[in-house]
Amino acid sequence: MKKARDPRILANITVGFALFTIILILLAGRVLAGVDVFAHGEVYQGRSFMVFISETSDTPTLESVRDASLVFDGKKIAFYPYEKGMRAIVGCEPEKKPGEYPIEVKYTDNGGKVNLREISIMVSPKTYPKVSFWLIPSKKKLLAPALVDDEWGQIEKKLLDESPAKLWYGFYLRPVPGITTMPFGTREFVNGKPRSRHRGQDFRAQTGTPVAAAHNGKVVIAQFFKAFGGTVVIDHGQGINTLYFHLSKIIAHPGQEVKKGDRIGLAGSTGIASGPHLHWGMSVHDVRVDPMQWVETVIP
Ligand SMILES: [Zn+2]
């Protein structure tokens, strides 16, 4: 009669297998860095959201994750170091149709392997107002698309030139105290004809009202344009810029490092403007987003 297997041998086999498994898990942890990729589940049209690459294990190995980028809406966006991981800030166009969209994330891990991950984001609808206004004929000719495109091209070049250092922290400052006269995302009808959406926040501001830098940064544009008038653009780092249009006087100069609240110019109605106001814009990797989100909530 066959004897049953010695229970001691069985126990040894079980312990051996368990040890082997633990060693495998530890090795895998070292090589794969226990990386997790995730985004906020939802973003409203015209707003900003964040995507993170973070550590899932207790062993901090993420510093060796490099060359991280993502593609959303056909645009490649860089990640930058953030706390113990990496982060990308993404702007959602106000015209983006509501629905679920893929985000393709690519990074090189500490084993030198290029990893691809696909996550998704839900774009939720946001209602923006409509407004009609009239421009005086002398300024109407400034609406020539070629002129606007040419001037915008000069500004856009600076928006695309990203600097890795993050110069802001916490809430952004509303640059003038006046009430909002036209919110971000408003559909404009000029002299009865539909134009693109309003890509900034307009505040009531008499000519000569001091305009403050919304946060710490470096001035990359400080000059007069025909369409945008007196213009200042501040680079806050990592692809985030704020824009100030229609200034009557420019105080800041290109290359200047400004602190949150510093006076950068005086409000006015230069360029295409139906009256004195400040047009304040926010650019996230060259996508104009709702700047008030950055005032009302912290994007750290
Ligand atoms: Zn405006």
Side-chain angles (χ1 to χ4, degrees):
M1 196 180 165
K2 210 176 170 191
K3 211 189 156 189
R5 200 175 260 177
D6 187 339
R8 281 171 302 176
I9 294 171
L10 204 64
N12 283 342
I13 290 170
T14 310
V15 169
F17 184 73
L19 278 173
F20 180 68
T21 308
I22 288 165
I23 288 164
L24 267 186
I25 289 168
L26 286 173
L27 282 173
R30 283 197 177 279
V31 176
L32 300 174
V35 169
D36 192 17
V37 178
F38 59 98
H40 290 169
E42 183 187 32
V43 63
Y44 285 99
Q45 291 171 307
R47 296 219 146 196
S48 310
F49 66 98
M50 297 184 271
V51 180
F52 298 92
I53 298 177
S54 73
E55 188 64 48
T56 52
S57 73
D58 295 334
T59 342
T61 49
L62 202 64
E63 63 270 16
S64 47
V65 167
R66 58 187 193 274
D67 302 332
S69 65
L70 65 81
V71 176
F72 172 71
D73 210 9
K75 276 192 173 192
K76 189 181 171 187
I77 290 160
F79 280 80
Y80 292 102
Y82 176 75
E83 291 181 349
K84 278 181 170 177
M86 297 191 96
R87 175 185 67 172
I89 304 178
V90 188
C92 177
E93 295 277 3
E95 283 89 1
K96 189 85 181 154
K97 282 211 170 73
E100 197 170 357
Y101 291 91
I103 300 173
E104 315 282 345
V105 178
K106 189 175 167 183
Y107 64 90
T108 305
D109 66 27
N110 59 0
K113 187 182 158 227
V114 175
N115 292 263
L116 294 169
R117 298 268 190 105
E118 189 182 301
I119 57 168
S120 67
I121 186 83
M122 181 61 78
V123 175
S124 296
K126 191 168 181 350
T127 311
Y128 290 109
K130 282 181 187 173
V131 72
S132 298
F133 64 96
W134 299 84
L135 287 176
I136 53 168
S138 69
K139 291 204 170 179
K140 219 172 131 186
K141 66 176 189 292
L142 291 174
L143 284 172
L147 173 75
V148 176
D149 286 354
D150 172 61
E151 290 192 346
W152 180 251
Q154 294 176 51
I155 294 172
E156 197 168 35
K157 219 180 275 174
K158 299 288 183 185
L159 302 180
L160 289 165
D161 185 14
E162 295 187 11
S163 42
K166 185 169 98 66
L167 304 176
W168 86 92
Y169 58 90
F171 293 96
Y172 274 66
L173 185 71
R174 182 192 228 282
V176 289
I179 59 155
T180 294
T181 50
M182 194 197 284
F184 172 87
T186 303
R187 202 128 183 78
E188 290 172 291
F189 291 80
V190 180
N191 297 349
K193 290 195 173 151
R195 281 182 68 205
S196 62
R197 271 178 206 283
H198 189 223
R199 306 232 166 231
Q201 186 89 357
D202 284 356
F203 299 111
R204 181 168 292 161
Q206 293 304 315
T207 298
T209 303
V211 175
H215 223 309
N216 305 342
K218 189 177 168 187
V219 175
V220 288
I221 291 178
Q223 71 178 80
F224 279 88
F225 290 99
K226 284 186 175 125
F228 307 107
T231 299
V232 170
V233 176
I234 301 175
D235 178 3
H236 303 284
Q238 302 190 349
I240 311 302
N241 289 265
T242 48
L243 304 92
Y244 311 76
F245 292 160
H246 312 304
L247 303 175
S248 58
K249 191 185 175 196
I250 295 171
I251 296 167
H253 56 85
Q256 186 183 340
E257 284 178 13
V258 290
K259 290 270 174 243
K260 181 179 177 180
D262 281 357
R263 191 179 288 202
I264 54 167
L266 303 178
S269 58
T270 55
I272 305 168
S274 52
H277 73 282
L278 175 73
H279 171 106
W280 184 43
M282 183 114 205
S283 172
V284 172
H285 306 285
D286 194 31
V287 173
R288 255 77 58 226
V289 294
D290 183 356
M292 295 312 284
Q293 182 188 1
W294 294 68
V295 170
E296 288 154 6
T297 61
V298 175
I299 298 180

